[in-house]
Amino acid sequence: MSRTKTIKYINETSVDEMIKQVVAKGTDISRVIDAAKESRTEYGLKVQEFIERLEFRSK
């Protein structure tokens, strides 16, 4: 996903919806968390919430 599309996606998509999409696709949650951590400083608190809730779900 391009930088512009990523920013738009994060801004326009609720954390609940992002989690639903990750789970529905059967994506490796650990890989998603790692990628999200890399973008956390750039995209802020919403990404942090996304990471925390995915980590909780994967336990």
Side-chain angles (χ1 to χ4, degrees), residues 28-40 51 55:
D28 180 355
I29 291 177
S30 296
R31 293 185 80 187
V32 174
I33 290 170
D34 288 342
K37 284 180 178 177
E38 289 179 22
S39 66
R40 179 177 20 205
I51 291 167
E55 287 176 333

Side-chain angles (χ1 to χ4, degrees), residues 10 22 24 26 29 34-35 38 44 48 53 58:
I10 290 171
V22 167
I29 291 177
D34 288 342
E38 289 179 22
Q48 180 61 39
R53 291 178 59 184
S58 69

Side-chain angles (χ1 to χ4, degrees), residues 1-54:
M1 189 179 294
S2 74
R3 176 174 160 60
T4 304
K5 286 183 181 179
T6 300
I7 292 168
K8 183 177 180 187
Y9 175 78
I10 290 171
N11 285 328
E12 295 178 355
T13 309
S14 72
V15 172
D16 286 334
E17 183 60 29
M18 287 190 281
I19 290 172
K20 284 179 192 174
Q21 290 175 9
V22 167
V23 172
K25 290 179 182 177
T27 307
D28 180 355
I29 291 177
S30 296
R31 293 185 80 187
V32 174
I33 290 170
D34 288 342
K37 284 180 178 177
E38 289 179 22
S39 66
R40 179 177 20 205
T41 55
E42 191 167 350
Y43 302 117
L45 295 174
K46 192 169 187 181
V47 172
Q48 180 61 39
E49 179 184 356
F50 178 58
I51 291 167
E52 288 171 359
R53 291 178 59 184
L54 274 176

